[in-house]
Amino acid sequence: MLMRLFQRPNCLLNRRNRYQLLTTLLINVISISHGIGIGWLSPILRKLQSDSPVGFEVKSEFEISWVGSMLGMGSVTGNILIGCLLGRLGSKRCLLLIAIPHSCLWILVYFAQSVEYLYVGRLLAGICGGGMYIVHPIFLSEIADANIRGTFSAMVMLSVNVGVLVGYIMGTHLPYYSIPFMVLILPVCYLVSVLLFIKESPMHLIRIGKYSAAERSFRYYKNIKDSDNIHHQNRAMEEFEIMKIALTKGDPLQDAITFKDFCTRPALKAYGPALVLMIANQFSGLFTMVNYMSDIFANSGSTMDPDTCSIIIGAVQILGTYVTTLLCDICGRKLLMLVSTAGVAISLATFGCFTKYAETHDVGEYSWVPLLLMSMDIFLGNIGLVGCFFVSLVEMFPVKIRAKATSMAIVVCSSFVFVMLNIFPICMKQWGISATMWSCAGVTALSFLYFTFFMKETKGKSMLDD
């Protein structure tokens, strides 16, 4: 029975899928490390506001919002940089490149003498994350089989969320100066792994005319051995020939991407759902709240320790994205998006109502309610809006403009990250936590209505189809 399970095409341990799984796990070492850089800020920011472990304090709203939002500015930079280099350098070199700014982040954290060091460090963290969110989804979509592509793409956010939890724990319980040395081990291991075990995507190698290397790469990722049954080899290599024909047909000058390609009917139909997906992903506040989680709990009316609540939320976040890896290729993207947006809207609206009630009433015996509501928000948000975000975005666009359109879309999304990280602490101060949560709930509710009527299911879609 166990052997039959391993032989199923959508089993990650299926013989054909094993090197795809290994590659996914290895490239997500940097995702975990990036997540640590995100989660670490939440408890450390509260420490820097009073009883700072370093030689300076971060007290003003301006400094707090800019420490947070520099991640978004860096993300835009990373999106543009890797988006421009991906077609020229290929996925493997870009995978190596994103480890450099991430390593510099932790060096700056260790030697920080003023808040400006943190500004630059967060900018570099954003460059790493922005590049990662471009190269990881595109690379995985090009090497993974259609029936497991959603699972592998969801592993990117699962890995980031594992890192966020580790960052919460390290920032809460470890000395400030110990953390950079410990985390720097991860990008070093990542660089070695990519150099030794990752091969360039066969689709990229075909595009640049390296057909022999493309065939070797294809055989590696599909785990095709020379000793395999000849019928099995021929059937697998038919897929390679179909891919090769699809990517090389026509005149290269005619096939060059032009503005008209962005105005075709399939392209125009993709822009609306993609834009709403990005708005829902960021203006629901899911990512922003991860960065400011300790401050949110400190202002929620709960008497529970904010840092402990943040750690629990980190664990819930992992559970949510793990559920996505199980269900993304079974239930499909649209259903998970609908459940996610509806759940986030209800959870945030209720959270806002509780914090409003807590302003005028004693809610000491109900201190667990904010944790429960935020756990629901983060769990339900991660099973769709976060976990399925990248795979859904990539699959929406036609094949000819997919890489360019995805890169541009993620640049827009990173701009939203910058805006949200910058204004969220200001909104909590000026509007209050209740109105801020209701605003996020309203955006998510409208997104639910849009997805219900206009979002198409893309589960099982071939990467060669529009």
Side-chain angles (χ1 to χ4, degrees):
M1 181 178 177
L2 188 61
M3 291 303 297
R4 286 202 302 271
L5 179 65
F6 284 168
Q7 290 171 1
R8 290 172 58 186
N10 62 347
C11 176
L12 300 185
L13 295 177
N14 180 301
R15 181 178 181 275
R16 177 183 168 99
N17 302 335
R18 287 172 192 170
Y19 285 108
Q20 299 172 39
L21 175 61
L22 174 65
T23 299
T24 304
L25 295 176
L26 291 178
I27 67 172
N28 279 321
V29 171
I30 199 68
S31 304
I32 295 172
S33 194
H34 176 64
I36 294 173
I38 295 172
W40 163 88
L41 180 71
S42 180
I44 288 295
L45 196 56
R46 291 186 70 243
K47 293 178 181 179
L48 292 175
Q49 292 174 54
S50 61
D51 193 24
S52 175
V54 292
F56 62 92
E57 291 187 348
V58 181
K59 284 196 169 182
S60 71
E61 289 174 36
F62 176 85
E63 290 177 336
I64 293 169
S65 66
W66 277 95
V67 169
S69 63
M70 286 302 285
L71 182 80
M73 186 175 291
S75 187
V76 173
T77 306
N79 295 156
I80 296 171
L81 178 65
I82 297 299
C84 292
L85 294 176
L86 188 59
R88 295 177 175 86
L89 300 182
S91 298
K92 181 171 181 175
R93 290 176 181 171
C94 289
L95 287 169
L96 291 168
L97 191 59
I98 61 176
I100 297 172
H102 182 78
S103 301
C104 294
L105 154 70
W106 295 109
I107 295 171
L108 283 170
V109 166
Y110 184 83
F111 289 105
Q113 300 294 317
S114 66
V115 70
E116 284 77 15
Y117 282 72
L118 297 182
Y119 291 161
V120 178
R122 289 279 287 179
L123 179 75
L124 292 171
I127 291 173
C128 169
M132 184 185 81
Y133 293 141
I134 292 286
V135 67
H136 277 44
I138 292 176
F139 178 62
L140 290 174
S141 71
E142 290 183 346
I143 68 165
D145 289 353
N147 55 349
I148 55 172
R149 186 172 59 239
T151 299
F152 284 159
S153 296
M155 283 185 181
V156 176
M157 288 313 302
L158 175 61
S159 303
V160 172
N161 289 340
V162 168
V164 169
L165 175 59
V166 174
Y168 283 157
I169 295 171
M170 295 176 81
T172 301
H173 297 291
L174 294 181
Y176 177 92
Y177 289 106
S178 300
I179 297 171
F181 280 118
M182 297 174 67
V183 181
L184 269 171
I185 296 170
L186 291 176
V188 172
C189 293
Y190 166 79
L191 282 169
V192 173
S193 299
V194 172
L195 282 169
L196 295 180
F197 300 109
I198 306 300
K199 293 186 182 294
E200 184 55 79
S201 146
M203 293 180 75
H204 174 75
L205 292 168
I206 290 171
R207 291 189 193 103
I208 62 175
K210 295 185 176 181
Y211 302 127
S212 297
E215 182 175 339
R216 289 194 298 271
S217 174
F218 182 85
R219 294 176 74 94
Y220 173 77
Y221 286 120
K222 307 305 180 184
N223 200 12
I224 303 168
K225 309 290 186 184
D226 290 334
S227 58
D228 289 347
N229 179 284
I230 191 67
H231 175 70
H232 170 71
Q233 287 191 56
N234 290 339
R235 187 173 58 184
M237 293 313 296
E238 283 176 9
E239 296 178 40
F240 176 76
E241 292 301 323
I242 292 171
M243 179 194 299
K244 183 178 174 181
I245 291 168
L247 294 173
T248 57
K249 65 182 179 182
D251 184 346
L253 292 176
Q254 291 181 355
D255 287 346
I257 297 175
T258 64
F259 179 74
K260 288 183 178 180
D261 295 316
F262 290 89
C263 300
T264 62
R265 185 174 178 83
L268 293 172
K269 289 173 68 176
Y271 296 148
L275 179 62
V276 175
L277 179 61
M278 292 184 288
I279 290 172
N281 179 264
Q282 287 306 316
F283 289 95
S284 62
L286 288 165
F287 179 74
T288 307
M289 291 175 196
V290 168
N291 288 264
Y292 299 117
M293 192 61 71
S294 293
D295 285 339
I296 290 171
F297 280 113
N299 290 285
S300 67
S302 172
T303 57
M304 296 178 69
D305 178 61
D307 292 334
T308 302
C309 290
S310 296
I311 292 171
I312 294 171
I313 291 297
V316 170
Q317 196 166 227
I318 293 171
L319 180 61
T321 42
Y322 177 68
V323 169
T324 307
T325 65
L326 298 178
L327 299 181
C328 191
D329 287 314
I330 298 174
C331 299
R333 289 55 159 152
K334 181 172 181 176
L335 178 60
L336 292 182
M337 285 291 180
L338 293 175
V339 172
S340 183
T341 48
V344 168
I346 293 168
S347 301
L348 289 180
T350 310
F351 191 98
C353 291
F354 178 88
T355 54
K356 190 68 175 177
Y357 182 81
E359 291 175 5
T360 54
H361 297 78
D362 179 16
V363 292
E365 60 181 307
Y366 300 107
S367 286
W368 50 270
V369 172
L371 178 60
L372 174 64
L373 292 173
M374 190 53 67
S375 296
M376 289 174 56
D377 170 54
I378 294 297
F379 175 80
L380 292 168
N382 273 272
I383 67 171
L385 278 174
V386 175
C388 289
F389 174 74
F390 290 109
V391 66
S392 298
L393 195 63
V394 169
E395 291 174 343
M396 283 178 181
F397 296 113
V399 61
K400 190 171 183 180
I401 65 165
R402 182 167 292 135
K404 294 285 186 185
T406 301
S407 299
M408 289 188 285
I410 295 178
V411 169
V412 174
C413 190
S414 295
S415 303
F416 293 162
V417 171
F418 171 74
V419 171
M420 279 297 288
L421 287 172
N422 196 287
I423 68 173
F424 193 83
I426 298 172
C427 289
M428 286 218 299
K429 184 74 173 178
Q430 300 295 327
W431 298 353
I433 190 170
S434 302
T436 304
M437 294 299 171
W438 288 333
S439 299
C440 293
V443 171
T444 315
L446 292 174
S447 302
F448 168 79
L449 294 175
Y450 185 92
F451 289 152
T452 300
F453 296 107
F454 300 108
M455 186 178 189
K456 290 187 176 180
E457 180 58 72
T458 55
K459 181 181 75 170
K461 179 180 178 180
S462 169
M463 284 293 95
L464 299 175
D465 293 339
D466 285 344

